[in-house]
Amino acid sequence: PLRAAQPGFLPRLPVLGRNQVVVVEVDLDIPERLSRALLPILDEADRARAARFVFPDHRRRYLASHAALRLVLAHYLDEEPRLLKFERGTHGKTRLAGSWAADYEINLSHSADRALIAVARSREVGIDIEVHRPDLDVYSLAQYVLSPAERHAFAAFSTADRRAAFFRAWTRKESFVKATGEGLACPLHSFDVSLEEDVDSALLRCRHTPAAFERWTTIPLEVGRGAAAALTVREPARLLARVPSVWTFA
């Protein structure tokens, strides 16, 4: 199933060394024939969840993103994708179960027809992608999502640029709380990120757990106009290489 489903769906995957992170971008807009081919990759629970979606597009995106996660992991673990087991942490973060759990960290995010998968060895990791939604009231959301310092920075952008700035902030903050495993137990307004486009690390300060600032790096990912994305990884990280749809960090 891995060899049959991978061409045209996943890019060629690089070697994943210890203390490295690989991020894979996946296009979820796949034809029905590929959706059917991916079904055997999922386990019974995933297939049942996919079947419960009312809208076909939502079902297709769930199936494609979770099949892609299994295929990427199967590549690195040399295991059948459908045999992989997952569990949830205290605050709901999905992780590998069994003998792989101690060495591999994973995170998945998808928005509309785009997904990002992060796989790391010996490092906690969180990832987020958001396609800009024109119907979303970013001004109201900013009052809930952004810290006072971030709201001040948000207001300094021109009206035309504020939507993109908000989504940059949102993905950076979401990737951070996903990486730490705390989820919303870490309030989004309790730490600050940069809203600027060109920054090496977007995490500026953390009042919730001040020591976190030293332990984590939040890296903006360039995913093209109309979307924003970010990766948070434990300890300082830098981009080693990028090929189409794949980033490698160490």
Side-chain angles (χ1 to χ4, degrees), residues 145-164:
V145 172
L146 303 185
S147 70
E150 291 163 345
R151 290 198 297 271
H152 180 76
F154 176 70
F157 283 89
S158 69
T159 302
D161 292 335
R162 281 181 190 162
R163 183 169 299 275

Side-chain angles (χ1 to χ4, degrees), residues 120-179:
R121 292 193 64 188
S122 308
R123 290 190 181 194
E124 291 88 353
V125 68
I127 200 157
D128 195 60
I129 183 170
E130 297 290 341
V131 171
H132 298 176
R133 288 174 49 189
D135 61 322
L136 207 62
D137 183 354
V138 297
Y139 296 95
S140 296
L141 272 175
Q143 302 307 308
Y144 171 71
V145 172
L146 303 185
S147 70
E150 291 163 345
R151 290 198 297 271
H152 180 76
F154 176 70
F157 283 89
S158 69
T159 302
D161 292 335
R162 281 181 190 162
R163 183 169 299 275
F166 172 80
F167 279 102
R168 286 196 295 270
W170 193 5
T171 54
R172 293 166 189 183
K173 294 172 84 70
E174 286 288 331
S175 75
F176 177 75
V177 299
K178 291 172 75 176

Side-chain angles (χ1 to χ4, degrees), residues 199-238:
V199 291
D200 292 329
S201 178
L203 183 63
L204 300 178
R205 61 192 66 86
C206 184
R207 292 171 297 282
H208 177 66
T209 48
F213 180 72
E214 303 295 332
R215 294 200 306 268
W216 300 97
T217 303
T218 298
I219 304 166
L221 300 177
E222 176 53 57
V223 289
R225 293 179 61 84
L231 169 77
T232 295
V233 59
R234 181 175 55 80
E235 311 231 342
R238 61 189 175 88

Side-chain angles (χ1 to χ4, degrees), residues 31-40 63:
E32 180 60 30
R33 59 176 177 78
L34 183 52
S35 292
R36 291 193 297 269
L38 294 174
L39 273 172
L63 189 158

Side-chain angles (χ1 to χ4, degrees), residues 47-117:
R47 290 195 295 272
R49 290 188 195 100
R52 288 197 290 268
F53 283 98
V54 174
F55 298 105
D57 280 351
H58 295 174
R59 183 166 56 250
R60 168 181 53 79
R61 291 165 182 165
Y62 178 90
L63 189 158
S65 60
H66 287 75
L69 175 63
R70 288 179 174 273
L71 286 167
V72 170
L73 288 171
H75 173 83
Y76 288 117
L77 301 176
D78 193 25
E79 181 57 270
E80 282 292 321
R82 64 182 178 83
L83 298 181
L84 297 173
K85 301 296 181 185
F86 302 93
E87 60 188 13
R88 292 189 180 273
T90 305
H91 297 290
K93 184 180 181 181
T94 299
R95 61 192 183 196
L96 275 164
S99 59
W100 305 292
D103 196 30
Y104 286 86
E105 282 278 338
I106 61 169
N107 209 222
L108 165 69
S109 178
H110 58 86
S111 178
D113 279 329
R114 305 180 73 175
L116 292 177
I117 295 166

